[in-house]
Amino acid sequence: MMEKFKIDRKFWPLLVTIGLFLLLYAYGFFSYRGFSNPQVFFNLFIDNAFLLITSIGMTFVILSGGIDLSIGAVIAFTTVLSAYLSEDWGLHPLVVIPMVLLVGTLLGAVMGSIIQFFKVQPFIVTLAGMFFARGMCFVISTDAITISHPFYRTLSLFRIPLFGKTFIPINVVIFLVVLAAAIYLAHFTRFGRTVYAIGGNEQSALLMGLPVARTKVLVYTLNGFCSALAGVVFSVYMLSGYGLYTNGLELDAIASVVIGGTQLTGGVGYVAGTVFGVLIQGLIQTTIMFQGTLNSWWTKIVVGLLTLLFIMMQSAFASARRTRLAAKSIDKSADRLPVGETELVPDA
Amino acid sequence: MPNTNDSLLLMQGICKNFPGVQALLDVDFSLRRGEIHALMGENGAGKSTLIKVLTGVERQNSGKILLDGKEILAKSPLHAQELGISTVFQEINLCPNLSVAENILIGREPKKFGSINWTQLKHQARQILDRLDIDIDVTQSLGMYPVALQQMVAIARALEISSKILILDEPTSSLDARETEKLFDVMRKLKGEGLGIIFITHFLDQVYQISDRMTVLRNGRLVGTYDTAELPRMDLVSKMIGRSLDELEDMTRFKHETGKRIAQEPLLEAHQLGRTGSIQPFDLELHAGEVLGFAGLLGAGRTETANLLFGVDSPDHGTMTFDGQEVKKFSPLNSIHRGMAYCPEDRKADGIVGDLTVRENIVLALQASQGWFKFLSPKKQTEIADKYIKLLNIATPNADQLVKNLSGGNQQKVILARWLATNPQTLILDEPTRGIDVGAKTEIQKLVLELAEEGKACIFISSELEEVLRTSHRVMVLRDREVVAELAGGELEEKKIMQIIAGS
Amino acid sequence: MKPTTSLLKDLRHHSLFWPVVALLLIMLFNLLFTPGFFRLEIKDGHLFGSLVDILNRGAPLMLLAIGMTMVIATAGVDLSVGAIIAIAGAAAAVLINPALGRELVTSDKLIEDVTQTPLWLVILIPLIAATVCGLWNGILVSRANIQPMVATLVLMVAGRGIAQLITNGQIITIYYSPYFYIGGGYLFGLPFSLYIVAAVFLFAWYISRKTSVGLFVESVGTNASSSFYSGINEKNVKLLAYIFCGFCAGIAGLLISSNVKSADANNAGLWSELDAILAVVIGGTLMSGGRFSLVGSILGALIIQSMTTTIYAFGVPPEVVLVVKALVVLAVVLLYSELVKVSMDKLFEQKGVQP
């Protein structure tokens, strides 16, 4: 009976994250007027929908033991390209959106292929990707382009009313679909399990006959797609495209993944954790906003420290596990049966 | 008894050369159904190359392989698996972060409507483990379980691919006696089911305990295939080493010579020194002019003991005195200042600095002991390097060769040179002869005795018992991270030590 | 073997061969297509011209590259140098500001020398702040055993916040003519910043070739564990590398803020960590650590700067330079991965000769 209530040790980091989220929310709830409005909660999703989507893609990359520094730039590039194609070329958004999604996905696929086939560190390749995507934004336009197409406006005004006066826009719906797909992908497909296996031990995954090369390329491709989708969501949210958007977003996404309990070394973590990682950052921002006297840059400092805290926690967990294992093997030898029955010396 | 003509695998006239090295020359090997066949040989004898050829890691230059009478050519380990040849390595090639069930079945997981059927997956995994009489929670991460169980899971995975041949490469080196016995039970069971098992180990007693036949390789050549019951142990050893035992007598005599000059006062003394989770408290005395051997299985705590003595790890129990002075600060640098030297077990990971030159590798410890600012000029460095290259007979074109381009034995000599350059009083050598050819091996053993003759104190650690016996004046035996016995003089005999190691 | 071919081969296999060729190619391109690129003029006793401009503008990057070389050689990386630049610049600006950050000083006051802080403090305090930042990174990497990329990522995120905290979120204009000399002054006809770079370079070169620091850094970068067993305090080697890198970034921060006469917490040194890494990689130091080349890194920085200047000379919007940089990174990376293959082949050949 007790077993049912025992929580697997591997869920601990996730629980810490959720606990932290609840604590922060409770703090805001009881400290500030207006925080209790459910819309404040929904706004967390609305304002961070793009970050949520791209962080989910990043979760897969980090689970596989890699990193992607290009996402902020890819999002900005998607907004600029969307604005350019719909404004300057006059294409219909229904044509533009698939096009930009394809471009983002391709960028991811190219980076993934270089990482895999030229054996270059992901961090360097995606750094180049970041430069490239940012630069391409300015090649298209150095100024912000306003998106005026009615379709985008309709999308951005589209709201699904919930109880009371609360509502969620289309951005959140897209996020929820991505989340569901990501959880399915991570836990119910061979692709997802291979990602975990690669993060756990790439050499072993290879020897176990798993499609390591294909999966690694796909992980970056998927992340490219997620970033482009986040870019579409962001362009709907901002109704414009600009090369300076989402500067440094890759760091927010990495921080979200880490705060969400995913190990930076790969192999351990959950997509759901990342969602809470983003929400915690959103809550910090909201709380600082409600607080009023603190400036927005405190968000950066607090998020930085929080990330550090979680990384420290990860390495503490890891070393605790090592000590426990070592202690175990000593205990085991202590209460071992006398080995008299195992005669190791042969009859000479 | 299995049918003697029931041949499962036949390897004929296998040759494999790497540039400049004939790794295998005309080697024959056969395996019957329902047989446990030990593959014996010293490091570098060609065991691993033969396995690599069989499992498709390397391709032979000539010779053919017949499985069930049909010629096969494995293109990759994966392909070999599909053909029915699975390998379980010493270091477990599974993913510790995945569950046990997944580790057994990933890649062939059961599906329902295109998605993984977790219920079925767990069920199948349990069935396979049942076959091996193992009862564990298959939903737990693999990393939570001890190495022995992880190895069983690896075997389970191999069986799941319905293999005909199971290769176990040093499977027992990190297992204790009970775990080993469990593994042997499983092996016997599989043998009864008609599997052919190739068993590689350097524990002779285990070979005699479990194997039906053995094939001995030496220097890439086949020495012969024998029924285990008909080959006495001493004969096996001399076949593996390739020299009559008389030859080794010389060294034993030399050892006795040096043994007369051991100092009375201990140079290094440890009192109840220990570290939780690493090694139980132990006492130790080491005298100038003495070679002290550590015997015990891999993982018995030999390296952990050496790490404490050299200050790689700090003790949390007991005291240590060096030359009458109590040691307060434990770190490699402090030990070097005390006149100690340590050749670590893992030459690649902890010994050589691959991208640096032979010269830089040799002066490294000396420079470290001199600190940041007393810089040895390049000229002085070359002088030191050249001196030791000559002294130890290191085969390198020049001192500026990158050390990673040297052979294993020469790399080991470079590390020895690094320590001799600091002119140490005490040397700890952990597995100094592992993975190097027989000639270099004897050279290093002789060198250890020569150093003792010069009045230095040495600790000699090796998995090969006869090597420890050949060089040491006194032997400490370790088992399960504990020092269990100390032997000297007439007590130094192989059988006695093995009995202590086995705990009987 | 003929001596001439052997000389050519030696040249080609010299670690600085490719960086020098790249720099020469850029110069050749300019010689052909950019009129007046090599023209040097003397105005008011100062040397002017595109070449001087490249050196002057490239000074902060060269400083970063020197510091980054040491960090990368220990098999690490420092992503926070951009943030440290912002912190150093912010600290200097706030110290110069007569109100010391308590209230905003009207802009008409900011066009005259009204500071109350002595120059040496204005220089010393930001440098101490930058060094402390490096110390922080070094502690996280060497003592808390956090992966370098991640450990320095923390300061990369939080550092800009700290810089904004110092400047109270404002872009602070600086007016203090002695301070301008650091980034904009001339000494013996050459930009003063070059003398700073030369001094830092000579210092780094001296400690890495005339003391055991160089050997220790290369040893730790190649195999930290072996180095530890050999008695090298590998933790302190790493710690020192990060401290030095922070210090270099601090000087770069002073140069930049002095040159642009303001401190912008958000944009000062933006993306400069990437430029610095790029410079080091172009210079032939591998990201995996070990062997390093300070001269190579300086060449790398000059390649990046002259490329940027060349592109500007063609009237291309500055941001487009990013695309070019991306392609250069890619080219360099692929070149090295090819090189790795070749050297692997060579390695096998040599192994064959060994008994």
Side-chain angles (χ1 to χ4, degrees):
Chain A
M1 284 307 285
M2 278 308 287
E3 266 176 55
K4 285 228 152 138
F5 294 96
K6 219 175 87 185
I7 291 158
D8 198 323
R9 191 166 270 126
K10 63 188 175 191
F11 290 121
W12 280 11
L14 184 62
L15 291 178
V16 170
T17 307
I18 297 175
L20 181 66
F21 172 78
L22 292 177
L23 235 125
L24 274 172
Y25 191 73
Y27 170 78
F29 196 89
F30 292 114
S31 305
Y32 304 110
R33 281 173 55 129
F35 211 97
S36 55
N37 185 343
Q39 194 59 45
V40 170
F41 178 76
F42 289 121
N43 281 345
L44 285 179
F45 291 89
I46 297 170
D47 297 335
N48 293 303
F50 65 101
L51 180 57
L52 283 162
I53 294 171
T54 196
S55 299
I56 286 172
M58 183 69 99
T59 309
F60 280 90
V61 174
I62 291 182
L63 277 176
S64 79
I67 197 104
D68 190 341
L69 298 179
S70 72
I71 56 169
V74 173
I75 291 175
F77 179 52
T78 310
T79 66
V80 172
L81 192 62
S82 303
Y84 176 69
L85 290 177
S86 68
E87 295 298 310
D88 289 32
W89 284 26
L91 293 178
H92 192 274
L94 284 177
V95 180
V96 170
I97 290 173
M99 274 175 74
V100 295
L101 287 179
L102 187 69
V103 170
T105 312
L106 269 178
L107 256 175
V110 169
M111 290 191 288
S113 306
I114 295 175
I115 290 166
Q116 176 58 32
F117 298 114
F118 288 89
K119 308 273 174 243
V120 187
Q121 282 149 310
F123 133 77
I124 285 276
V125 176
T126 54
L127 203 66
M130 167 189 183
F131 274 62
F132 180 78
R134 283 274 172 219
M136 287 308 288
C137 294
F138 299 110
V139 171
I140 294 174
S141 165
T142 41
D143 301 314
I145 311 173
T146 310
I147 300 177
S148 55
H149 198 286
F151 185 81
Y152 271 101
R153 294 203 171 268
T154 321
L155 273 184
S156 84
L157 292 174
F158 181 80
R159 287 174 179 195
I160 300 168
L162 299 172
F163 56 88
K165 281 183 181 167
T166 60
F167 65 90
I168 50 169
I170 187 109
N171 286 353
V172 178
V173 177
I174 295 177
F175 152 66
L176 289 172
V177 172
V178 171
L179 176 64
I183 291 177
Y184 176 79
L185 210 54
H187 298 285
F188 293 96
T189 65
R190 183 177 296 173
F191 165 76
R193 303 321 293 167
T194 307
V195 170
Y196 277 87
I198 294 172
N201 187 337
E202 188 171 335
Q203 196 57 37
S204 294
L206 208 62
L207 282 171
M208 287 161 102
L210 300 175
V212 171
R214 192 178 69 207
T215 306
K216 269 174 82 182
V217 174
L218 272 178
V219 160
Y220 289 91
T221 312
L222 177 73
N223 195 30
F225 172 78
C226 284
S227 308
L229 188 62
V232 170
V233 165
F234 198 66
S235 51
V236 170
Y237 181 71
M238 301 297 283
L239 286 177
S240 62
Y242 187 29
L244 285 180
Y245 278 158
T246 60
N247 209 346
L249 191 83
E250 44 283 341
L251 309 176
D252 295 339
I254 295 169
S256 306
V257 175
V258 172
I259 295 173
T262 299
Q263 270 180 26
L264 269 165
T265 42
V268 179
Y270 298 95
V271 174
T274 302
V275 173
F276 282 97
V278 175
L279 293 182
I280 285 172
Q281 290 190 49
L283 263 182
I284 292 170
Q285 215 159 9
T286 312
T287 311
I288 284 172
M289 214 173 66
F290 268 86
Q291 206 270 346
T293 57
L294 285 174
N295 288 309
S296 68
W297 46 84
W298 278 102
T299 315
K300 280 182 190 165
I301 298 175
V302 173
V303 168
L305 290 177
L306 204 60
T307 312
L308 181 66
L309 195 75
F310 271 78
I311 296 168
M312 298 275 221
M313 207 171 73
Q314 281 180 8
S315 61
F317 262 113
S319 66
R321 198 173 306 138
R322 268 198 300 278
T323 328
R324 210 167 40 240
L325 276 179
K328 224 186 212 166
S329 70
I330 287 251
D331 292 345
K332 202 175 51 189
S333 56
D335 62 17
R336 164 126 39 92
L337 297 166
V339 206
E341 69 236 49
T342 8
E343 179 63 44
L344 283 183
V345 184
D347 302 345
Chain B
M1 272 308 280
N3 180 357
T4 43
N5 292 323
D6 195 4
S7 181
L8 176 62
L9 172 81
L10 214 56
M11 299 175 82
Q12 291 175 327
I14 304 293
C15 293
K16 172 76 198 170
N17 24 299
F18 296 108
V21 187
Q22 183 82 44
L24 290 175
L25 184 65
D26 201 19
V27 172
D28 296 333
F29 180 80
S30 70
L31 180 70
R32 297 169 189 152
R33 242 175 271 281
E35 175 190 46
I36 296 175
H37 194 136
L39 190 54
M40 305 298 296
E42 292 217 286
N43 290 316
K47 289 174 299 182
S48 54
T49 312
L50 189 69
I51 294 304
K52 278 179 182 164
V53 166
L54 178 59
T55 55
V57 178
E58 305 277 358
R59 189 165 297 180
Q60 69 269 33
N61 296 99
S62 64
K64 58 182 177 177
I65 305 172
L66 300 164
L67 181 67
D68 277 333
K70 281 193 284 283
E71 184 161 354
I72 57 158
L73 185 66
K75 294 187 192 79
S76 67
L78 228 53
H79 185 216
Q81 270 181 25
E82 283 159 18
L83 293 168
I85 304 170
S86 300
T87 317
V88 173
F89 293 99
Q90 174 184 359
E91 68 277 17
I92 292 145
N93 284 300
L94 294 176
C95 296
N97 58 325
L98 298 184
S99 68
V100 170
E102 275 188 278
N103 267 301
I104 296 174
L105 286 157
I106 193 168
R108 285 177 309 282
E109 57 281 270
K111 293 200 171 178
K112 199 159 83 181
F113 308 122
S115 61
I116 296 172
N117 184 343
W118 285 96
T119 329
Q120 179 67 22
L121 181 93
K122 283 174 212 159
H123 180 69
Q124 278 187 20
R126 265 193 213 105
Q127 271 185 333
I128 299 162
L129 287 174
D130 278 350
R131 191 173 150 202
L132 302 178
D133 291 326
I134 291 161
D135 182 28
I136 53 174
D137 182 358
V138 295
T139 59
Q140 282 289 340
S141 311
L142 181 75
M144 303 289 290
Y145 290 106
V147 180
L149 269 171
Q150 295 189 23
Q151 209 149 44
M152 296 295 177
V153 173
I155 294 175
R157 181 178 170 84
L159 292 180
E160 204 281 327
I161 320 172
S162 63
S163 84
K164 296 174 190 164
I165 296 174
L166 184 62
I167 302 167
L168 296 172
D169 190 356
E170 298 279 6
T172 54
S173 52
S174 43
L175 305 191
D176 63 36
R178 199 169 57 166
E179 291 165 339
T180 305
E181 197 47 42
K182 173 80 191 156
L183 175 72
F184 286 176
D185 284 344
V186 169
M187 281 166 71
R188 286 189 196 103
K189 197 168 172 208
L190 296 175
K191 170 180 151 183
E193 291 176 16
L195 245 74
I197 298 176
I198 301 174
F199 180 52
I200 302 170
T201 183
H202 52 263
F203 298 123
L204 299 187
D205 37 18
Q206 294 180 357
V207 171
Y208 279 93
Q209 195 187 351
I210 188 94
S211 73
D212 301 308
R213 287 195 301 164
M214 54 176 97
T215 293
V216 181
L217 299 181
R218 189 177 68 234
N219 291 335
R221 272 156 236 250
L222 177 71
V223 178
T225 298
Y226 313 91
D227 278 335
T228 306
E230 287 163 19
L231 186 70
R233 235 174 133 111
M234 278 305 150
D235 289 359
L236 171 63
V237 171
S238 72
K239 281 184 198 311
M240 282 166 65
I241 299 175
R243 274 169 298 166
S244 70
L245 295 169
D246 304 339
E247 246 178 89
L248 301 173
E249 290 296 313
D250 282 348
M251 200 178 289
T252 316
R253 222 169 298 124
F254 182 36
K255 187 184 98 181
H256 284 303
E257 288 288 304
T258 60
K260 290 171 191 153
R261 284 190 286 275
I262 297 173
Q264 287 298 313
E265 285 299 301
L267 183 63
L268 186 139
E269 253 182 306
H271 301 285
Q272 287 302 299
L273 201 67
R275 181 179 159 94
T276 315
S278 169
I279 180 85
Q280 306 276 20
F282 63 91
D283 289 330
L284 179 145
E285 269 186 19
L286 182 66
H287 304 257
E290 177 186 44
V291 180
L292 172 64
F294 282 4
L297 302 184
L298 213 71
R302 302 171 317 195
T303 300
E304 287 78 359
T305 308
N307 280 349
L308 274 193
L309 295 176
F310 193 64
V312 171
D313 294 327
S314 301
D316 54 13
H317 198 278
T319 57
M320 182 168 124
T321 55
F322 192 88
D323 224 355
Q325 301 255 308
E326 188 176 340
V327 173
K328 291 257 177 4
K329 286 184 191 160
F330 285 86
S331 84
L333 187 57
N334 284 306
S335 301
I336 294 170
H337 285 314
R338 278 193 290 276
M340 292 176 78
Y342 180 29
C343 293
E345 180 185 19
D346 192 334
R347 185 172 61 232
K348 270 222 167 68
D350 306 324
I352 62 163
V353 185
D355 279 338
L356 296 192
T357 62
V358 171
R359 167 173 59 89
E360 285 166 321
N361 267 283
I362 289 177
V363 300
L364 203 56
L366 181 61
Q367 182 64 69
S369 70
Q370 297 208 349
W372 300 81
F373 297 108
K374 264 203 206 153
F375 187 54
L376 295 162
S377 68
K379 196 173 145 234
K380 182 86 186 144
Q381 290 184 10
T382 312
E383 240 169 66
I384 296 169
D386 286 344
K387 175 178 157 198
Y388 285 99
I389 288 173
K390 216 170 143 200
L391 190 74
L392 297 182
N393 204 6
I394 300 173
T396 172
N398 54 53
D400 287 317
Q401 179 77 337
L402 295 190
V403 82
K404 67 179 176 192
N405 293 345
L406 265 53
S407 71
N410 283 310
Q411 288 181 354
Q412 190 66 54
K413 286 183 190 170
V414 168
I415 298 172
L416 275 169
R418 174 191 296 167
W419 290 114
L420 294 180
T422 65
N423 192 22
Q425 278 181 286
T426 312
L427 283 106
I428 305 172
L429 308 170
D430 194 354
E431 297 280 6
T433 63
R434 177 188 288 176
I436 67 182
D437 59 84
V438 181
K441 220 169 191 166
T442 326
E443 270 182 70
I444 287 175
Q445 291 164 1
K446 272 213 181 100
L447 180 73
V448 171
L449 284 171
E450 279 162 15
L451 290 171
E453 201 188 13
E454 285 172 28
K456 299 189 193 303
C458 293
I459 293 178
F460 189 88
I461 307 174
S462 173
S463 300
E464 292 172 49
L465 201 46
E466 75 274 14
E467 182 182 66
V468 174
L469 287 169
R470 210 177 299 150
T471 47
S472 309
H473 302 107
R474 202 150 53 88
V475 172
M476 284 171 69
V477 186
L478 291 97
R479 173 169 23 102
D480 296 331
R481 294 165 188 270
E482 198 175 349
V483 176
V484 288
E486 194 185 310
L487 308 171
E491 299 170 301
L492 287 180
E493 49 179 289
E494 201 161 338
K495 185 166 176 184
K496 190 170 172 86
I497 292 179
M498 272 201 252
Q499 275 169 344
I500 297 171
I501 290 174
S504 54
Chain C
M1 206 185 283
K2 294 256 166 61
T4 45
T5 53
S6 145
L7 185 70
L8 205 69
K9 202 175 162 188
D10 282 356
L11 256 182
R12 197 154 51 81
H13 285 129
H14 194 276
S15 61
L16 296 180
F17 178 75
W18 289 112
V20 170
V21 166
L23 194 58
L24 287 179
L25 279 178
I26 295 173
M27 290 302 151
L28 185 70
F29 179 86
N30 281 308
L31 185 66
L32 297 176
F33 300 106
T34 319
F37 191 84
F38 288 91
R39 193 184 307 139
L40 289 174
E41 291 174 278
I42 295 178
K43 276 187 221 155
D44 314 329
H46 305 335
L47 212 51
F48 280 98
S50 294
L51 290 178
V52 179
D53 201 46
I54 287 173
L55 289 173
N56 193 18
R57 283 180 191 277
L61 182 54
M62 286 192 264
L63 288 170
L64 291 181
I66 293 170
M68 189 68 85
T69 306
M70 298 311 251
V71 168
I72 289 182
T74 64
V77 73
D78 188 347
L79 297 182
S80 70
V81 289
I84 296 177
I85 286 177
I87 290 175
V94 167
L95 285 168
I96 290 168
N97 194 310
L100 259 180
R102 249 179 303 141
E103 59 195 88
L104 266 181
V105 174
T106 46
S107 50
D108 55 318
K109 262 201 174 166
L110 286 176
I111 51 165
E112 44 184 302
D113 294 331
V114 284
T115 186
Q116 285 145 13
T117 323
L119 184 65
W120 65 273
L121 270 183
V122 172
I123 292 171
L124 190 66
I125 291 177
L127 287 183
I128 290 176
T131 311
V132 168
C133 287
L135 177 72
W136 161 264
N137 283 332
I139 287 173
L140 288 187
V141 171
S142 69
R143 297 312 198 272
N145 290 324
I146 299 175
Q147 285 167 261
M149 197 197 77
V150 179
T152 55
L153 197 71
V154 173
L155 192 60
M156 186 182 179
V157 184
R160 298 245 168 232
I162 293 170
Q164 279 174 319
L165 200 68
I166 296 172
T167 63
N168 213 7
Q170 310 285 329
I171 297 177
I172 299 187
T173 319
I174 299 174
Y175 199 95
Y176 188 15
S177 22
Y179 185 70
F180 294 158
Y181 189 73
I182 301 171
Y186 280 81
L187 184 65
F188 306 127
L190 284 173
F192 182 67
S193 57
L194 284 187
Y195 294 95
I196 298 177
V197 174
V200 173
F201 174 79
L202 283 176
F203 172 75
W205 181 84
Y206 181 83
I207 61 160
S208 63
R209 293 294 171 244
K210 294 290 164 191
T211 72
S212 46
V213 173
L215 177 66
F216 289 177
V217 164
E218 287 183 344
S219 174
V220 168
T222 307
N223 189 337
S225 180
S226 294
S227 309
F228 172 66
Y229 276 87
S230 304
I232 296 171
N233 192 331
E234 106 279 11
K235 291 186 170 166
N236 283 352
V237 171
K238 286 183 186 167
L239 186 67
L240 282 177
Y242 286 90
I243 290 175
F244 180 64
C245 188
F247 175 75
C248 288
I251 304 178
L254 291 182
L255 282 188
I256 291 173
S257 65
S258 148
N259 201 326
V260 302
K261 302 182 181 174
S262 70
D264 180 350
N266 265 326
N267 294 311
L270 193 64
W271 292 327
S272 58
E273 51 277 342
L274 312 180
D275 279 350
I277 294 167
L278 183 55
V280 173
V281 173
I282 291 177
T285 303
L286 294 180
M287 288 295 295
S288 49
R291 294 280 183 207
F292 66 90
S293 164
L294 287 168
V295 180
S297 299
I298 293 284
L299 282 175
L302 287 176
I303 288 170
I304 295 173
Q305 190 57 48
S306 49
M307 205 168 69
T308 312
T309 306
T310 307
I311 295 169
Y312 286 173
F314 279 79
V316 179
E319 292 86 354
V320 177
V321 173
L322 289 175
V323 179
V324 180
K325 278 184 191 166
L327 297 177
V328 170
V329 174
L330 215 58
V332 170
V333 151
L334 296 188
L335 181 74
Y336 277 111
S337 67
E338 190 58 34
L339 278 183
V340 166
K341 240 164 77 185
V342 172
S343 60
M344 282 300 278
D345 290 348
K346 254 176 47 192
L347 195 146
F348 276 114
E349 276 168 28
Q350 278 168 349
K351 250 193 187 158
V353 186
Q354 292 292 319

